[in-house]
Amino acid sequence: DSDVTKQKKVEEELQKLLITKDKFFSIIAHDLKNPFNSLIGLSQLLVHGYDRLSSEKVKYFHNNLYQISKNGYELLINLLEWSRSQMGSIQFKPVEVSLSAIVEETFSLYSSKATQKEITLTNNIEDESTLFADHNMLKTILRNLVSNALKFTERGGAIEITEKNTNGYKEISVRDTGIGIPPDDVDKLFYLDENFTTEGTEDESGTGLGLLLCKEFVTKHGGEITVESKVGFGSRFIFTLPKK
């Protein structure tokens, strides 16, 4: 019985590794290639047709180049962080950090995208609020949750980050007024083998990799991440991290 149990565990680990490998290569082959195809196409239009384009058209193409470059860079960062986490090469160094400062830093990264979509970003974290977390992992968690919220929130919407203290943990909530997630899809968000992705309100692309990283990094801290969502009324991603 012991040998059979061990064999089953080995098989499960191998299956997980195969799924990870397939996901990794599918992202490289498809999702990472797409931004470069778009960049090359737009750059070619500007190089060969610049003299024939109006200033409005040139500005439009430049804005597209900027957004595509940012999306591609964000995907590459997630891909590198995820591959490092799978190899166990990310060092876990929790220290006391200012939650409000990291939220402000995260919002500043996405201020231009929020302005473009006319979305309000609200930081309702107390200035003196601190918690015990790995600085880089916390930034990755918030970056991905805010990025996702922006993708799935329509023009004129809002994104709000709040906090609550509970049993030695700090509960952090990222709430949006977006399109929401169907109940059948909520359970697929944090699992690699589900391969669940969807397009944003303005055809923004995604791989689902960011939420996998969020779950992995929150779990590393001994916390949990959950989702509350209703189609047409928005979503609320809640995660807990230790206060001390």
Side-chain angles (χ1 to χ4, degrees):
D1 288 345
S2 178
D3 288 343
V4 170
T5 303
K6 287 179 181 178
Q7 186 176 342
K8 284 183 177 179
K9 284 183 179 179
V10 170
E11 288 174 354
E12 287 172 3
E13 285 299 316
L14 285 173
Q15 184 64 28
K16 186 180 176 183
L17 287 170
L18 285 171
I19 292 169
T20 301
K21 175 185 69 70
D22 290 343
K23 178 75 172 178
F24 188 83
F25 283 115
S26 72
I27 290 170
I28 292 174
H30 183 262
D31 298 286
L32 195 58
K33 185 175 70 175
N34 283 346
F36 284 100
N37 285 336
S38 300
L39 287 172
I40 291 167
L42 285 172
S43 301
Q44 193 173 29
L45 279 172
L46 287 169
V47 168
H48 297 294
Y50 186 86
D51 295 336
R52 300 189 300 274
L53 295 171
S54 66
S55 59
E56 289 81 9
K57 210 63 169 169
V58 170
K59 185 178 180 181
Y60 172 77
F61 284 147
H62 279 158
N63 183 60
N64 278 356
L65 285 170
Y66 171 67
Q67 292 300 333
I68 293 166
S69 300
K70 280 191 72 174
N71 292 341
Y73 179 73
E74 185 177 303
L75 173 58
L76 182 61
I77 291 298
N78 274 344
L79 196 60
L80 291 172
E81 286 184 340
W82 186 57
S83 61
R84 287 176 62 211
S85 74
Q86 297 305 303
M87 292 186 294
S89 59
I90 293 183
Q91 291 188 339
F92 179 56
K93 295 181 177 179
V95 294
E96 190 175 61
V97 296
S98 167
L99 179 58
S100 180
I102 293 179
V103 170
E104 280 301 319
E105 185 182 340
T106 304
F107 278 172
S108 69
L109 283 174
Y110 294 102
S111 59
S112 61
K113 179 67 175 176
T115 301
Q116 181 192 348
K117 290 187 76 172
E118 300 169 356
I119 293 171
T120 305
L121 302 177
T122 304
N123 178 4
N124 277 329
I125 306 296
E126 297 289 337
D127 289 340
E128 66 276 6
S129 178
T130 61
L131 48 75
F132 201 67
D134 182 287
H135 190 264
N136 290 325
M137 287 187 182
L138 178 56
K139 286 203 300 185
T140 298
I141 294 165
L142 287 171
R143 176 168 52 82
N144 279 293
L145 292 180
V146 171
S147 175
N148 264 14
L150 281 167
K151 285 176 188 174
F152 299 108
T153 299
E154 293 169 325
R155 287 182 174 272
I159 296 168
E160 176 189 37
I161 297 184
T162 57
E163 64 176 338
K164 185 171 75 174
N165 295 317
T166 170
N167 298 326
Y169 281 79
K170 194 172 287 289
E171 183 182 282
I172 303 151
S173 169
V174 180
R175 186 183 67 85
D176 65 62
T177 59
I179 58 177
I181 307 163
D184 292 343
D185 292 335
V186 169
D187 293 335
K188 301 175 184 177
L189 295 175
F190 299 109
Y191 293 96
L192 187 65
D193 53 345
E194 292 291 348
N195 200 28
F196 174 73
T197 60
T198 185
E199 290 185 338
T201 58
E202 297 187 3
D203 300 325
E204 299 98 328
S205 60
T207 62
L209 194 59
L211 289 179
L212 291 176
L213 272 173
C214 289
K215 180 176 174 60
E216 201 159 308
F217 288 170
V218 168
T219 303
K220 189 81 172 174
H221 285 82
E224 294 180 349
I225 184 166
T226 55
V227 188
E228 296 173 356
S229 187
K230 187 176 180 181
V231 174
F233 289 89
S235 302
R236 183 170 172 248
F237 284 79
I238 310 138
F239 65 96
T240 57
L241 295 179
K243 287 170 61 181
K244 295 183 181 179

